[in-house]
Amino acid sequence: MLKSKINKCKTFEAALTIRIGHFISIDHLILGTAFPRYIQRKGPGIDMDVIPFTMHSWEQVEKGFSSGDINAAFIDIAQAMYLFAKGLAISMLMFTHRAGSRIIVPEQIHRLADLRGKSVLIPHRLSIQHMLVHRLLNAGKLKTAGLGESGESVGIEAVPYELMPEMANSDLDGDIAAFICPAPFGDAGIEKKRFSRLLISRDLWKDHPGSIFVVHQDLLRTKGKSLALMVSCLLDSAQQLDRYMSSPDTAENGIENMSAPFLGLSAGQMQRALKTSGITYCPKLLVPDMGILNIVLDYMRTTMEVMPAGTDLNGFIRPEFVHAALSEI
């Protein structure tokens, strides 16, 4: 069905030292404001040991870790737990945000019942967005057909973020009824009134987890000081963005100049993306929380049956980096 419409994604460029894979979205916006701060605090004459670069699908992130092309990433919480359970030696240092996704629909979709017999696009079957869609459809007494299936139930299709708006816009047979993604994906269609927001994800679970910052465990031994500095810069950026979200008219000078280029948007577009997403960067909510991880794990393992039985997260979280950074701000 829809899978035949998916074109291959762009490849990413290999890098050296601490190689952080990420997506260009507000979910990862703190990296866009933290990296210049990291360079400044490292000081002149010191070789750069952190290189962020853009990736275009969760599959690329997984392959990047497996091949060694990346050794750190901003990655969805569910996929990170799965990779850890499968034996990948990664550790979670912090959440990168809370909430922040939107369910976007074509203009002919007005209510949840209109999804029946159609498809919803998610970024990955092991994603928090998949879990949120599953909970929403269950609440509306709509059955999910599963990946690639069809019928009177709601089909679920995994598609990279950047392809979702294009696929929905070119869907001549009207099969795609919705897609869930962070801003700015879909904003262009909303501005042209081809799409609208059905709801934001915090309406389904307030301050739900999203992506997290994970690193290969080798870095904990070889780059501990650099990781501590990076986490400190990320927390500083989170605090700055949190103040900006609370009072954008009086926010610090320059934040729009730093964040808008990271997203490839104008300052005005960036403001609208943040305003319509329901995202929060509250630093206290970015501390690794095993209780939150277990909620996601239990639901995806039992209700959804997409996470392997026996998944063990012992040793996955390393909260000491965030605790140390929080003590300084």
Side-chain angles (χ1 to χ4, degrees), residues 55-182:
M55 307 187 81
H56 298 276
S57 74
W58 295 120
E59 288 80 7
Q60 280 190 328
V61 177
E62 181 175 352
K63 291 178 181 177
F65 268 121
S66 299
S67 66
D69 287 327
I70 63 172
N71 50 16
F74 280 30
I75 184 175
D76 188 277
I77 180 177
Q79 191 189 22
M81 291 191 295
Y82 174 79
L83 294 177
F84 178 80
K86 297 294 285 186
L88 185 63
I90 56 175
S91 291
M92 171 189 176
L93 303 191
M94 60 182 290
F95 291 106
T96 66
H97 67 99
R98 292 292 193 94
S101 288
R102 298 93 51 87
I103 295 182
I104 297 176
V105 297
E107 57 186 358
Q108 67 270 21
I109 302 296
H110 303 288
R111 53 180 184 160
L112 197 58
D114 293 339
L115 304 183
R116 192 183 306 276
K118 298 184 180 297
S119 296
V120 176
L121 308 184
I122 61 169
H124 194 278
R125 72 185 188 94
L126 293 170
S127 66
I128 194 67
Q129 287 91 352
H130 189 189
M131 175 181 171
L132 294 172
V133 166
H134 193 278
R135 291 179 62 172
L136 174 65
L137 296 177
N138 274 356
K141 302 188 184 304
L142 293 172
K143 295 182 179 179
T144 56
L147 294 173
E149 299 177 11
S150 59
E152 285 302 307
S153 301
V154 179
I156 304 295
E157 297 289 341
V159 173
Y161 287 139
E162 63 182 11
L163 298 183
M164 290 181 179
E166 178 184 351
M167 289 177 63
N169 190 50
S170 61
D171 179 36
L172 299 180
D173 56 7
D175 178 67
I176 301 172
F179 56 94
I180 180 169
C181 60

Side-chain angles (χ1 to χ4, degrees), residues 47-315:
D47 291 338
M48 183 49 55
D49 60 353
V50 174
I51 302 178
F53 55 98
T54 306
M55 307 187 81
H56 298 276
S57 74
W58 295 120
E59 288 80 7
Q60 280 190 328
V61 177
E62 181 175 352
K63 291 178 181 177
F65 268 121
S66 299
S67 66
D69 287 327
I70 63 172
N71 50 16
F74 280 30
I75 184 175
D76 188 277
I77 180 177
Q79 191 189 22
M81 291 191 295
Y82 174 79
L83 294 177
F84 178 80
K86 297 294 285 186
L88 185 63
I90 56 175
S91 291
M92 171 189 176
L93 303 191
M94 60 182 290
F95 291 106
T96 66
H97 67 99
R98 292 292 193 94
S101 288
R102 298 93 51 87
I103 295 182
I104 297 176
V105 297
E107 57 186 358
Q108 67 270 21
I109 302 296
H110 303 288
R111 53 180 184 160
L112 197 58
D114 293 339
L115 304 183
R116 192 183 306 276
K118 298 184 180 297
S119 296
V120 176
L121 308 184
I122 61 169
H124 194 278
R125 72 185 188 94
L126 293 170
S127 66
I128 194 67
Q129 287 91 352
H130 189 189
M131 175 181 171
L132 294 172
V133 166
H134 193 278
R135 291 179 62 172
L136 174 65
L137 296 177
N138 274 356
K141 302 188 184 304
L142 293 172
K143 295 182 179 179
T144 56
L147 294 173
E149 299 177 11
S150 59
E152 285 302 307
S153 301
V154 179
I156 304 295
E157 297 289 341
V159 173
Y161 287 139
E162 63 182 11
L163 298 183
M164 290 181 179
E166 178 184 351
M167 289 177 63
N169 190 50
S170 61
D171 179 36
L172 299 180
D173 56 7
D175 178 67
I176 301 172
F179 56 94
I180 180 169
C181 60
F185 302 105
D187 281 353
I190 291 172
E191 291 175 1
K192 294 179 180 178
K193 302 188 183 304
R194 294 193 301 264
F195 306 142
S196 63
R197 288 177 290 272
L198 184 65
L199 51 81
I200 58 177
S201 58
R202 72 178 305 164
D203 294 335
L204 303 174
W205 180 2
K206 184 180 179 181
D207 296 337
H208 67 78
S211 62
I212 60 178
F213 182 35
V214 301
V215 301
H216 196 281
Q217 291 171 0
D218 284 346
L219 295 181
L220 299 174
R221 297 186 295 271
T222 62
K223 293 288 184 179
K225 290 184 179 179
S226 293
L227 289 176
L229 178 58
M230 175 54 69
V231 170
S232 177
C233 292
L234 290 169
L235 263 291
D236 286 346
S237 294
Q239 185 180 50
Q240 188 180 22
L241 283 165
D242 192 46
R243 287 197 293 261
Y244 179 86
M245 297 286 286
S246 300
S247 183
D249 293 336
T250 59
E252 295 89 341
N253 292 332
I255 190 170
E256 291 180 358
N257 293 331
M258 287 189 291
S259 57
F262 178 78
L263 297 178
L265 305 174
S266 68
Q269 289 173 319
M270 187 273 291
Q271 285 182 316
R272 287 193 294 275
L274 290 171
K275 184 178 180 181
T276 62
S277 67
I279 199 167
T280 179
Y281 304 98
C282 176
K284 292 182 179 180
L285 293 177
L286 304 187
V287 178
D289 185 331
M290 188 58 73
I292 294 292
L293 271 64
N294 282 331
I295 290 173
V296 176
L297 176 61
D298 290 344
Y299 188 89
M300 299 189 81
R301 182 173 52 192
T302 58
T303 304
M304 297 176 67
E305 298 182 342
V306 296
M307 195 73 77
T311 299
D312 184 0
L313 298 180
N314 184 43

